[in-house]
Amino acid sequence: MKTCAFEVSILLSLMSQYADAFGVRVTRPQQFSTPSLSLTALRSTPNQSSSPSPKAKPRAGVAQGLLNVVLQTPLWKLLLVPQARNNIIKTAEANGIQWDKALSWIKQQEGSWKRSTSIEKDMDFSIPDYYRKEFHAYESGNLQWDAAFEQEIASRAVGARNFPDYGSEGEDAFRGCFDKAIATIGGRIPANSVVLDMGCGTGTSTRRIASAFPDAKRIIGIDMSPYFIEVGKTLLKLSPKGQKDGGDWVTTIQPDDRIELRLSQAEKTEFDDASIDVVNLGLVIHELPIDATINICKEALRVLKPDGQLWISEMDYDSPAFAEQRENALLFSLIRSTEPYLDVYADGVDEVRDFLVNNFSTVKITAATGRHYALVAIKAKTSIKYDGARTLQDSRFDSQGNYVVDDTHLKTWESSS
């Protein structure tokens, strides 16, 4: 899973300055509750879809157009991005995450980043245009060393901000919500399974799966960024201690021979038909065009064994919290400036779910946090033909239409201190 860090900090930097101009009420909750999944709240019966509120549409008009222009100017990169970086580093340090120490440590290790040759020239596939966007306020997006060096550090910082009761362990609390939700709707990894983690980044999610399922045979993470894969392999090789354990990295990484990280497209892997037990897509598809997402789901269907499972963890724009966010001109425009496909994802995710329902035997979805969902799709044991009888088994909303998990995230403009 890749956690988006700079857009959160950029928003924090700007919302307080422009809140009044855009009609944003800056408040802080009186009480903060820890994130939990209320299993008793999942009331939808099997084969019955709940009816979420209609998705919010993106803001339009003259004011929105002017705002979009501003976000394309050099001012955005020259002034606001450095300010965002300083803020997220301060958040990390305030929560016991020593950003500079971890960054300095990884840069000092031996790796391709110390050589002048291009790491991209040895790739055996062409990087698609959609992947060359400026994701997360990095000029070259995921195709540069800084993005790879800072992915896991920034993820810890954002976790600490979003789940302040957990401090430096906030990211673990966040990821734990997905673990619980996936298990609730039947997610399983049997003994001797082969797991494929698509869009693994530097391997955070891959390592987490390996730790949670010690009886799995192999856990293979793939990513299209050679920078992320190189850093991820280095971390696995060195298996550093985390700062809480007296080391230099942000988390302690245990050596595990079952884990393998590969440079690969998710749309076209080298795995045989029906060779994988579980495919994981964690916080990936909001960074993709819809056609790319569907092609990846087709590839997952091909490589999965009969009765194999596809897991998807993602933002939920049916949730009240994200729907409200999208209705705010400033807020959503800032986020879109670092997430090029967010509107595409929000508008087109139903098309992805339709594909899954039409091609997998069972598809279940539930709330993971107050803003995210978990989905498990099971491949049929025999070939199936869509007859219109299957539906998305949706337990995100109760019988009154309420989202079943409370939103415990801080508002984007609120401080965790």
Side-chain angles (χ1 to χ4, degrees):
M1 287 182 189
K2 293 193 281 291
T3 304
C4 312
F6 282 116
E7 57 266 33
V8 174
S9 184
I10 289 167
L11 292 169
L12 284 169
S13 303
L14 296 178
M15 287 303 292
S16 60
Q17 299 176 40
Y18 301 114
D20 292 338
F22 285 87
V24 178
R25 184 174 58 188
V26 181
T27 60
R28 182 182 176 115
Q30 295 299 312
Q31 187 175 16
F32 185 89
S33 57
T34 56
S36 61
L37 180 67
S38 175
L39 304 186
T40 58
L42 304 179
R43 300 192 184 99
S44 294
T45 57
N47 300 314
Q48 178 182 4
S49 290
S50 304
S51 299
S53 302
K55 287 188 180 70
K57 295 299 180 183
R59 293 284 290 267
V62 175
Q64 180 66 61
L66 290 173
L67 182 58
N68 292 340
V69 170
V70 169
L71 295 177
Q72 297 300 316
T73 65
L75 176 68
W76 172 247
K77 293 180 181 178
L78 295 177
L79 297 180
L80 302 183
V81 171
Q83 182 180 352
R85 178 181 178 82
N86 290 335
N87 281 349
I88 197 68
I89 292 174
K90 287 179 181 178
T91 297
E93 298 287 346
N95 285 277
I97 302 165
Q98 299 177 61
W99 181 298
D100 289 338
K101 179 180 180 180
L103 182 59
S104 176
W105 176 83
I106 187 63
K107 285 183 174 181
Q108 289 173 7
Q109 307 310 309
E110 290 299 323
S112 297
W113 51 87
K114 290 194 171 183
R115 296 187 284 273
S116 59
T117 55
S118 172
I119 194 174
E120 295 180 38
K121 68 181 182 66
D122 297 326
M123 298 175 63
D124 57 5
F125 62 87
S126 298
I127 295 175
D129 289 340
Y130 75 77
Y131 196 73
R132 295 186 178 277
K133 301 291 185 180
E134 294 185 18
F135 294 101
H136 309 156
Y138 292 104
E139 186 173 353
S140 298
N142 296 328
L143 297 172
Q144 65 180 75
W145 289 118
D146 285 343
F149 291 148
E150 295 181 334
Q151 184 201 333
E152 297 194 20
I153 309 172
S155 293
R156 301 303 290 185
V158 172
R161 208 206 79 82
N162 285 337
F163 294 92
D165 279 8
Y166 292 83
S168 62
E169 305 301 318
E171 185 191 13
D172 298 322
F174 175 66
R175 292 180 184 273
C177 292
F178 291 107
D179 298 341
K180 293 176 184 177
I182 287 172
T184 299
I185 52 177
R188 58 180 178 78
I189 296 180
N192 297 314
S193 291
V194 178
V195 181
L196 178 59
D197 186 21
M198 291 180 164
C200 68
T202 56
T204 303
S205 53
T206 319
R207 300 192 306 264
R208 186 177 181 90
I209 292 170
S211 177
F213 297 94
D215 293 331
K217 183 179 180 180
R218 296 171 66 202
I219 306 93
I220 305 164
I222 61 172
D223 202 276
M224 202 149 40
S225 169
Y227 305 91
F228 281 62
I229 292 297
E230 176 82 3
V231 170
K233 287 181 175 180
T234 300
L235 290 172
L236 277 174
K237 179 182 177 181
L238 296 176
S239 298
K241 287 184 178 181
Q243 292 168 359
K244 279 195 169 185
D245 295 324
D248 297 310
W249 192 236
V250 287
T251 56
T252 294
I253 297 177
Q254 301 293 342
D256 194 329
D257 293 338
R258 299 172 302 149
I259 299 175
E260 179 185 356
L261 300 182
R262 297 184 185 179
L263 183 63
S264 173
Q265 292 176 288
E267 299 99 318
K268 188 177 181 181
T269 69
E270 297 178 351
F271 298 99
D272 294 335
D273 293 355
S275 61
I276 303 294
D277 295 280
V278 174
V279 172
N280 181 58
L281 272 171
L283 293 175
V284 171
I285 67 175
H286 70 274
E287 296 185 356
L288 302 172
I290 294 301
D291 59 345
T293 298
I294 291 177
N295 286 336
I296 289 171
C297 291
K298 288 179 180 178
E299 180 69 355
L301 183 65
R302 181 187 72 80
V303 302
L304 279 171
K305 297 176 182 177
D307 212 30
Q309 298 186 347
L310 169 63
W311 298 356
I312 297 178
S313 304
E314 261 304 346
M315 300 177 183
D316 193 350
Y317 277 94
D318 289 330
S319 70
F322 270 142
E324 180 183 1
Q325 179 193 85
R326 199 180 188 204
E327 288 176 335
N328 185 288
L330 173 63
L331 191 60
F332 201 71
S333 294
L334 290 169
I335 295 175
R336 283 188 305 174
S337 70
T338 63
E339 290 286 3
Y341 297 105
L342 206 53
D343 262 336
V344 173
Y345 164 74
D347 287 333
V349 69
D350 286 341
E351 185 179 345
V352 176
R353 293 173 190 161
D354 286 344
F355 170 83
L356 297 176
V357 169
N358 292 350
N359 290 277
F360 286 76
S361 63
T362 304
V363 184
K364 297 181 180 181
I365 186 172
T366 193
T369 78
R371 303 182 181 198
H372 300 82
Y373 68 81
L375 180 150
V376 173
I378 302 176
K379 182 176 179 177
K381 294 181 180 180
T382 58
S383 60
I384 59 175
K385 183 177 181 180
Y386 179 62
D387 56 8
R390 291 185 305 281
T391 60
L392 178 68
Q393 298 181 33
D394 189 345
S395 56
R396 293 173 298 162
F397 297 83
D398 64 19
S399 57
Q400 285 75 47
N402 301 309
Y403 210 69
V404 298
V405 178
D406 291 336
D407 180 25
T408 57
H409 293 63
L410 289 178
K411 298 296 185 182
T412 309
W413 55 86
E414 292 174 339
S415 171
S416 61
S417 59

